[in-house]
Amino acid sequence: MNPLLDQFITEGRDILQTIGERLLQLEDTPDDSALMGELFRLVHTLKGNSGLFDLPEMTRVLHAAEDLMDAVRDGRRPFDRPVADRLLEAMDFVLALIDEIGDSAEAAPPNTARHANDALELANALRGLLAAAQATTPTATETEPAATPAPSPAPAAMPLEALPSRIQQELTQRLEAGEPLCWLTYEPEEECFFKGEDPFHQILQLGEPCWRRVSSREDWPPLAELDAYRCILRFEAILNTPAEALHEHFRYIPEQVRIIPLQPPAPTSASSSEPPPDAETTWSFNVVLEAQREILGLTDNPPWLSGRLRAVATTLEAAFASIGQVVERDALEQALHSADASHSSQPLLNWLDEQQRRGDTQLPTAASPPGAPAEDIAPPPEAQEPQEPIKFGRRAEDRLAGHTLKVDQAKVDRLMNLIGEMVVTKNALPYLANRAEEVFGTRELAREIKAQYGIINRIAEEMQDAIMQIRMMPVSFVLQRFPRLVRDTARKLGKEVRLVMEGESTEADKNIIEALADPLVHIVRNSLDHGLESPAERSAAGKPTEGRLTISARQESDRVVIEISDDGRGIDPDRIRRKAYERGLIGEPELERLTDQEAINLVFAAGFSTAEQVSDLSGRGVGMDVVRNAIACVNGAVELHSQLGQGTRLRLSLPLSMAVTNVMIIESAGQRFGVPMDRVAETVRVARNDIRTIKRRLTTVLRGRLVPLVTLNDLLALTIEQVPNDDDEFAVLVVRIGADHLGIIVDDCRETVDIILKPLGGVLAGLGGYAGSALLGDGSVLLVLNPRELL
Amino acid sequence: MKRILVIDDAATVRLYHRSILEELGFEVTEAVNGLEALERVAEGDFDLYLVDINMPKLDGYGFLRELRGKDMPQAPAIMVSTEAGANDQKLAFLSGANLYIVKPVRPERLASHVLTLLGMTPNGRGAPS
């Protein structure tokens, strides 16, 4: 994809994002004119950008949106819900187009013509809102730019010469009679038939022309190869229609037409005898000169008049130089000086008249030796410097505008993987030191290796930390879609909901943030669907009709905490008990025994869904267990609190980062295993005598608390006894499972290491009880246990 | 080498103009709004300005008025807009523009105007390689 298109897509997405946010803000404060101005500017910028490419559908919709925003900004149309809805819809359409373009690998934007009908409908809908508001005001803002800003003295001689002399004569007469004749060239795009365009009809609609010609833009292929659906025609016509009217007629396809107002042939010989330097140059020169005349004709007298006059003088001098005409510096300086002194443009105008009068006679000869640069035009010192070829990257360091670097995610991920490998590799050094000492008997070397390891270890850790920082993303990355989602969902459900978001700038690792996205959507939909009541129900319960949904994020030590709370009807523990019983999730005894909190937690049980009827919003057959599992996948935890009639609060707690896992190595049955440190509460030695059997289950008392015990070998279905140490004490790993503690008896607890946890792949992927595997520094593979699943 | 200041808040437009102008062999500096443009002007002279109208902080009109109020060599300025109305052109001229063109600008047309405003003779207008 070419860089310009790339840039357009990136910027386009950013702009659309901002537009969406501003629209929602504007709904809350419809009178905020600054906001409105910004919104207009954003739409306007996007439209301008889209015009750089061949994207008529996008431009069409954006143009209509811009006009509507313009009307809103000027107060011709109030900003209300239909406007917001339409604009959001239009922006969604544009985003879809941008995504489509972004997905295509082509260098040029793909043809989006099949969206033409949608675009037309959207544009008409937008304009419909506009028309309703301004039945009296004509849509004057509406001339889509074509090519020429001002009616320019066009190079009429060029095209007219090709015409038969009879028509030339007729045209000259009509021009002299003051008819607004225009030369129109219309080259329909090749795919025009697929867009529902009818070029021939377009031309016929213009009425009887003075002259008309249809030709092909390229040689016709042999009949067998002719593609009848490809339009390669060129229509040319000379019409007695003002240029403005023609622009209006072709306003949706301005890039396909060229409209040149014809001028009566100049009385001088310039147009017919010697050809001017070239058409484009002369054209530019004339446009520039005309513009300067208009500027000099301005009658205001601003404080910056002097600067304006000097700029005009510079411009005039350059313009004459560009067609090879010598300008007498002194005369120009003098004119400028007296103009400046008298606060009047007249001296410069006089100079210009004089210069043009002389130029008319001078021009043909001055321009004829094209190889000789006019060295006597007293240019600024470097004006005649030979044109250097472009050097890319030149002065690049001067141009770095901001201090933020946009980097492809994949590059950062790669960096992260590399540092992960490095962390593991550096762990080989202590093994090497041990080997140096024990196998090769060189203690000295062993010590040096260890010292060096200390340094490498520190640098690696700092580096890892630095890379981790790069990957940190604000929570707003996933929160930003909620204003829209909540708004649309609430409307669909006929509820009034106010969304409050707090702490959006809280940061966490990219993987964590990404893992949050889907669970959050599910939770929020649940809240909207089941939690918050309808306005009628709310007012009956004595609550304000507008429900409140809060999403807050904050950092608590090394975890990110996200809370989603609503002030809805809350969860009824009795109903949950009943449901759970009906579904066979709990037995009769639990029905009585469960505390309210425990009952509420049952919503996390697999196969539990409280929705009485499946709605298209949250009742998609997935329940809160999916949320919990998704969060658990990134080592997060979910807590649910609910007060009947008061509301529900869900608390997600996630680690800041998950790239490197700290595990404790344990031994059992002669093998080594890893256990994630964030699961380990403590490790203790428990004497055989202190282990009791209660109801056939092993337990022990730790700090006055009864802790159930299991042996790892049992969990792994190994029929080997755990091995105590010489003092007949067992090593016990106390792990956290939810709010409870559980002791796992192992043979020995060893050191903790940082590892990169890789999920088990292939046929082992379904193996429960293991979080994954990791490569140790000595090259061996460590299986990492997942205590929760193991139990 | 001629120096051109491109002022536009849309990065895409800046890139578009830059690519055209650099191909012609000019040195291009960018500014994202009028205020930043004034900072660039304070740092060094330019031979031409390409000015967008709608920009945050300081728009194109404001920038030109400030620029023309300065006691310094005054280079030509092209105002680049999306509106083709005669009144828009007048507004541009009132604030100090020397030429008013409408987006999207065809590369050849922009090149032609730029060369004219920089006083490049026809033979200086070789086709870009």
Side-chain angles (χ1 to χ4, degrees), chain B residues 100-116:
Chain B
Y100 180 88
I101 60 179
V102 173
K103 278 192 261 194
V105 199
R106 283 194 296 114
E108 319 84 76
R109 179 137 300 169
L110 181 68
S112 174
H113 284 324
V114 165
L115 290 165
T116 299

Side-chain angles (χ1 to χ4, degrees), chain A residues 11 44 145 284 292 308 310, chain B residues 12 72 82 94 98 102 112:
Chain A
E11 192 180 21
H44 173 85
S284 272
Q292 305 320 300
R308 182 201 279 167
R310 277 181 288 147
Chain B
T12 310
M72 57 180 279
T82 47
L94 279 170
N98 295 93
V102 173
S112 174

Side-chain angles (χ1 to χ4, degrees), chain A residues 441-724:
Chain A
T442 50
R443 289 188 64 178
E444 200 62 10
L445 181 60
R447 208 165 46 235
E448 277 182 33
I449 294 177
K450 277 181 184 160
Q452 204 59 38
Y453 167 72
I455 299 170
I456 294 178
N457 189 40
R458 181 175 52 79
I459 297 175
E461 275 174 6
E462 275 181 29
M463 205 149 128
Q464 188 190 333
D465 195 50
I467 296 171
M468 220 88 102
Q469 288 299 319
I470 301 179
R471 285 168 51 106
M472 291 298 232
M473 280 167 71
V475 182
S476 60
F477 181 76
V478 286
L479 293 191
Q480 66 196 11
R481 61 171 141 166
F482 284 108
R484 180 77 192 277
L485 185 129
V486 168
R487 174 186 183 277
D488 290 356
T489 311
R491 288 221 171 131
K492 215 156 153 188
L493 293 167
K495 293 180 180 175
E496 291 172 24
V497 181
R498 171 162 213 85
L499 175 69
V500 181
M501 296 203 289
E502 290 160 3
E504 296 131 287
S505 57
T506 311
E507 289 191 324
D509 186 84
K510 151 180 167 297
N511 284 355
I512 303 285
I513 297 286
E514 282 168 358
L516 261 176
D518 288 343
L520 268 183
V521 171
H522 194 78
I523 293 167
V524 167
R525 282 194 165 138
N526 252 332
S527 250
L528 292 169
D529 205 7
H530 310 310
L532 292 162
E533 314 92 326
S534 63
E537 205 178 322
R538 288 184 66 90
S539 54
K543 296 180 185 180
T545 54
E546 190 180 59
R548 191 184 167 88
L549 182 67
T550 310
I551 306 179
S552 74
R554 63 179 181 278
Q555 192 178 334
E556 279 181 11
S557 68
D558 61 344
R559 295 182 84 78
V560 196
V561 173
I562 311 231
E563 279 190 353
I564 305 99
S565 56
D566 63 52
D567 63 350
R569 58 170 76 95
I571 299 175
D572 182 354
D574 287 333
R575 210 175 121 222
I576 304 284
R577 282 194 192 93
R578 218 168 48 239
K579 274 265 147 59
Y581 179 65
E582 280 167 19
R583 289 188 196 181
L585 293 171
I586 53 170
E588 216 152 322
E590 284 113 321
L591 199 56
E592 302 297 320
R593 213 184 54 223
L594 284 179
T595 64
D596 283 358
Q597 182 60 47
E598 282 168 332
I600 287 171
N601 281 340
L602 280 173
V603 301
F604 290 119
F608 187 95
S609 178
T610 53
E612 310 244 293
Q613 75 275 359
V614 172
S615 81
D616 72 324
L617 288 170
S618 52
R620 285 161 195 258
V622 294
M624 289 300 286
D625 61 318
V626 174
V627 170
R628 195 191 58 182
N629 288 344
I631 298 293
C633 272
V634 290
N635 292 326
V638 189
E639 280 172 45
L640 177 63
H641 302 277
S642 184
Q643 197 79 38
L644 188 58
Q646 307 268 310
T648 306
R649 194 173 88 240
L650 226 102
R651 186 175 190 272
L652 311 180
S653 150
L654 302 130
L656 283 178
S657 160
M658 56 179 289
V660 171
T661 316
N662 191 233
V663 299
M664 169 168 274
I665 295 183
I666 54 167
E667 267 183 37
S668 197
Q671 293 186 51
R672 288 185 299 176
F673 297 97
V675 177
M677 273 305 278
D678 54 358
R679 294 258 164 244
V680 179
E682 60 179 326
T683 60
V684 287
R685 292 254 167 205
V686 179
R688 190 189 290 273
N689 297 338
D690 293 337
I691 299 178
R692 290 162 219 243
T693 310
I694 300 177
K695 284 191 179 174
R696 282 192 285 164
R697 293 196 64 175
L698 300 176
T699 55
T700 192
V701 177
L702 276 180
R703 287 186 256 292
R705 250 189 342 167
L706 200 63
V707 177
L709 294 175
V710 288
T711 68
L712 184 58
N713 287 352
D714 275 354
L715 292 177
L716 298 174
L718 298 171
T719 51
I720 305 169
E721 289 286 311
Q722 298 292 159
V723 185

Side-chain angles (χ1 to χ4, degrees), chain A residues 293-542:
Chain A
R293 276 193 181 280
E294 191 173 336
I295 295 168
L296 291 175
L298 295 171
T299 50
D300 65 332
N301 189 4
W304 59 87
L305 181 66
S306 162
R308 182 201 279 167
L309 292 174
R310 277 181 288 147
V312 169
T314 317
T315 306
L316 286 173
E317 184 179 348
F320 280 110
S322 79
I323 55 159
Q325 255 192 54
V326 185
V327 163
E328 278 176 32
R329 249 273 163 99
D330 290 348
L332 180 57
E333 285 286 338
Q334 214 171 351
L336 178 59
H337 190 75
S338 59
D340 213 357
S342 63
H343 294 287
S344 148
S345 314
Q346 203 52 48
L348 274 173
L349 274 173
N350 294 344
W351 176 88
L352 181 54
D353 289 341
E354 169 71 11
Q355 183 68 26
Q356 268 188 306
R357 197 182 50 71
R358 285 179 21 190
D360 283 342
T361 52
Q362 186 189 355
L363 181 60
T365 45
S368 50
E375 266 159 0
D376 50 346
I377 55 170
E382 78 280 54
Q384 294 306 319
E385 212 172 78
Q387 303 273 306
E388 285 179 33
I390 335 147
K391 293 191 197 102
F392 289 105
R394 163 178 50 97
R395 280 172 57 104
E397 66 279 15
D398 298 353
R399 286 193 196 121
L400 282 179
H403 303 288
T404 313
L405 211 57
K406 284 192 181 170
V407 182
D408 190 351
Q409 277 195 10
K411 290 182 184 165
V412 180
D413 286 349
R414 173 141 185 274
L415 211 52
M416 197 68 218
N417 283 337
L418 285 174
I419 187 68
E421 301 288 334
M422 176 139 158
V423 166
V424 170
T425 313
K426 75 155 166 57
N427 287 345
L429 286 177
Y431 290 98
L432 184 63
N434 279 346
R435 275 171 62 81
E437 188 170 342
E438 286 162 15
V439 180
F440 302 104
T442 50
R443 289 188 64 178
E444 200 62 10
L445 181 60
R447 208 165 46 235
E448 277 182 33
I449 294 177
K450 277 181 184 160
Q452 204 59 38
Y453 167 72
I455 299 170
I456 294 178
N457 189 40
R458 181 175 52 79
I459 297 175
E461 275 174 6
E462 275 181 29
M463 205 149 128
Q464 188 190 333
D465 195 50
I467 296 171
M468 220 88 102
Q469 288 299 319
I470 301 179
R471 285 168 51 106
M472 291 298 232
M473 280 167 71
V475 182
S476 60
F477 181 76
V478 286
L479 293 191
Q480 66 196 11
R481 61 171 141 166
F482 284 108
R484 180 77 192 277
L485 185 129
V486 168
R487 174 186 183 277
D488 290 356
T489 311
R491 288 221 171 131
K492 215 156 153 188
L493 293 167
K495 293 180 180 175
E496 291 172 24
V497 181
R498 171 162 213 85
L499 175 69
V500 181
M501 296 203 289
E502 290 160 3
E504 296 131 287
S505 57
T506 311
E507 289 191 324
D509 186 84
K510 151 180 167 297
N511 284 355
I512 303 285
I513 297 286
E514 282 168 358
L516 261 176
D518 288 343
L520 268 183
V521 171
H522 194 78
I523 293 167
V524 167
R525 282 194 165 138
N526 252 332
S527 250
L528 292 169
D529 205 7
H530 310 310
L532 292 162
E533 314 92 326
S534 63
E537 205 178 322
R538 288 184 66 90
S539 54

Side-chain angles (χ1 to χ4, degrees), chain A residues 124-142:
Chain A
N124 286 343
L126 289 166
R127 290 194 191 283
L129 289 172
L130 192 58
Q134 50 172 193
T136 50
T137 327
T139 48
T141 56
E142 178 57 54

